[in-house]
Amino acid sequence: MSASSIARVHGRQILDSRGNPTVEVDVVLESGATGRAAVPSGASTGQFEAVELRDGDPRAYGGKSVLAAVRNVDTEIADAVTGLDAEDQRALDLRLIELDGTKNKSRLGANAILGVSLATAKAGAADAGVSLYRWIGGVSAHILPVPMLKLAEALRIGAETFHALKDVLHERGLSTGVGDEGGFAPELDSTEAAIEAVLEAAERVGHRERVAIALDPASTELYRDGGYHFEREGGVIRSAEELIDLYSTLADRYPVVSIEDGLAEDEWGAWKAMTDRLGDRIQLVGDDLFVTNVERFQRGIDEGVANAILVKVNQIGTLTESLEAIELARENGYGVVISHRSGETEDTTISDLVVATGAGQIKTGAPSRSDRVAKYNQLLRIEEELGAAAVYPGWQAFPRAER
């Protein structure tokens, strides 16, 4: 057995940023090197995502406890991966996929599987004495992401605009409480009002020309009975064509560079129509549409649907499968956005992943909660480590946008 072989695997139940249970895993190698990973959890989840295993007992965290997933880590998974070499991430992940034996990781739980996958990668990096982004991406990893806030300079611009936005909302008598992802959630009466508030905040701090708008309508949540329901606009119901018209109008009026989940997760024909109409000037990101799943993503590529993919490691369940989705995007000219989830932890893996893969874009919330700020702080550390080798793409991350 080599020094980088897995000697021990241990799972535990911890709490995420919303106070809900999630899985944390420690992997210890024969050398003594240790990796620890905490698994995020989504609120707006697509029906095609890998399954997050929860106990369902209403007496414990309202049914949300993950003790069964933790037991799977400590027993079946631990037995199967002990002795495997942490240097071979693909072999480890394939063992995990085969061990579960289901298409959506529902037997052992994607949360159990992902915890082991990521913790092993971290242990491998620790054993090699290198940063995680370098372990995953190799010596060529050097591209810092454009943050959707929202490096150092971009983060300052985002933070200053965020604080100015709080003042704008306060002056209008609107709520300045923050939501799961650290952003404001005031009761505005239209999409335009929300965009204009952000742009006014940017103007106040001198960043109006350096800030663009990325929208995430989460349209699957709006879709029912063949239409998109806008409750805040008096119950207006829009067809897919009318919603595409709205996006086109917004892009004409405002600096919109990206729209994520602009249509519902199974509206393939409508997605094609939107891509044909807007795809040459706006980044159209598939989240619920693709769920970091290579099979669904390949269908989108074949049908000319969307032009970017949102990558969430817990949507698919292993590091290897996430890297495969990123590589498929790169091979086909699709953009890549590495993303957090609404239920997060202090784990900063996605910050290393976005630099390791050169994705160029990250979505990890507002700069106002420690679970979100931890990711930004890790990027600042990586920027410092890279020094002169660091590349920040800026506007080049959105090649379709008119500037």
Side-chain angles (χ1 to χ4, degrees):
M1 222 176 258
S2 70
S4 56
S5 296
I6 296 174
R8 187 168 68 88
V9 177
H10 176 62
R12 65 178 62 85
Q13 178 172 273
I14 63 169
L15 298 182
D16 68 15
S17 59
R18 296 179 295 175
N20 292 327
T22 191
V23 176
E24 182 175 79
V25 176
D26 293 342
V27 169
V28 182
L29 307 185
E30 290 290 340
S31 66
T34 300
R36 172 175 291 169
V39 179
S41 175
S44 174
T45 55
Q47 64 174 309
F48 303 104
E49 291 193 24
V51 173
E52 177 184 70
L53 187 63
R54 293 193 181 272
D55 298 344
D57 182 349
R59 296 171 297 178
Y61 290 102
K64 294 182 178 180
S65 60
V66 293
L67 295 179
V70 169
R71 284 194 297 272
N72 289 341
V73 170
D74 287 343
T75 55
E76 192 170 352
I77 293 176
D79 290 343
V81 303
T82 297
L84 294 185
D85 197 326
E87 292 186 0
D88 193 342
Q89 184 76 36
R90 178 175 292 274
L92 172 95
D93 288 341
L94 287 176
R95 176 70 66 86
L96 292 170
I97 293 167
E98 292 169 358
L99 183 67
D100 176 82
T102 68
K103 191 175 181 65
N104 59 2
K105 300 180 178 66
S106 57
R107 191 176 75 81
L108 296 174
N111 42 352
I113 292 169
L114 180 62
V116 175
S117 179
L118 296 183
T120 301
K122 290 186 173 186
D127 186 59
V130 299
S131 298
L132 182 60
Y133 77 90
R134 187 71 74 199
W135 178 249
I136 297 172
V139 296
S140 62
H142 66 290
I143 297 176
L144 298 171
V146 176
M148 284 189 170
L149 173 163
K150 173 277 71 181
L151 228 136
E153 181 70 4
L155 185 57
R156 179 181 66 82
I157 291 169
E160 289 176 357
T161 301
F162 175 80
H163 290 297
L165 179 57
K166 182 176 182 179
D167 292 339
V168 169
L169 297 176
H170 180 73
E171 291 166 11
R172 297 181 183 181
L174 296 168
S175 169
T176 55
V178 298
D180 285 345
E181 298 174 9
F184 300 117
E187 292 192 7
L188 297 168
D189 58 9
S190 69
T191 302
E192 290 86 347
I195 293 174
E196 288 169 2
V198 172
L199 295 179
E200 180 182 339
E203 180 74 34
R204 288 191 181 190
V205 288
H207 298 319
R208 176 62 182 78
E209 300 305 316
R210 305 176 74 182
V211 169
I213 301 296
L215 302 175
D216 176 10
S219 296
T220 299
E221 304 293 319
L222 307 176
Y223 186 75
R224 63 180 184 275
D225 302 324
Y228 295 86
H229 295 245
F230 288 73
E231 305 298 342
R232 293 275 179 87
E233 296 183 24
V236 169
I237 302 174
R238 290 186 171 94
S239 67
E241 183 178 359
E242 290 170 332
L243 194 50
I244 295 169
D245 286 341
L246 173 61
Y247 296 145
S248 181
T249 299
L250 293 174
D252 289 340
R253 294 180 59 187
Y254 305 109
V256 176
V257 297
S258 181
I259 301 175
E260 174 190 327
D261 277 355
L263 294 166
E265 62 191 1
D266 240 3
E267 291 289 283
W268 290 92
W271 267 94
K272 172 62 174 170
M274 179 171 66
T275 306
D276 289 345
R277 183 169 174 186
L278 302 177
D280 62 342
R281 62 173 176 147
I282 297 175
Q283 176 174 265
L284 301 174
V285 186
D287 175 17
D288 290 345
L289 178 71
F290 294 143
V291 292
T292 320
N293 182 294
V294 169
E295 291 182 8
R296 287 185 66 85
F297 187 25
Q298 185 64 63
R299 176 181 174 181
I301 293 168
D302 293 343
E303 297 183 12
V305 166
N307 54 35
I309 182 173
L310 198 77
V311 172
K312 297 173 175 174
V313 289
N314 80 320
Q315 278 184 327
I316 191 63
T318 66
L319 177 58
T320 295
E321 290 167 294
S322 300
L323 294 173
E324 288 173 349
I326 294 168
E327 183 58 29
L328 185 61
R330 183 172 285 116
E331 291 171 353
N332 289 277
Y334 275 60
V336 176
V337 184
I338 305 296
S339 177
H340 65 168
R341 300 308 301 258
S342 56
E344 268 295 340
T345 72
E346 64 273 23
D347 190 297
T348 60
T349 298
I350 63 170
S351 299
D352 286 83
L353 181 62
V354 72
V355 178
T357 59
Q361 297 179 61
I362 192 169
K363 178 184 177 185
T364 191
S368 69
R369 293 174 53 149
S370 59
D371 44 287
R372 315 294 152 175
V373 173
K375 279 71 166 173
Y376 293 124
N377 288 342
Q378 177 66 359
L379 286 170
L380 293 175
R381 298 182 195 106
I382 293 173
E383 181 181 34
E384 180 182 67
E385 181 178 332
L386 286 170
V391 172
Y392 180 72
W395 288 110
Q396 294 177 9
F398 306 96
R400 298 172 179 84
E402 296 178 2
R403 298 186 289 279

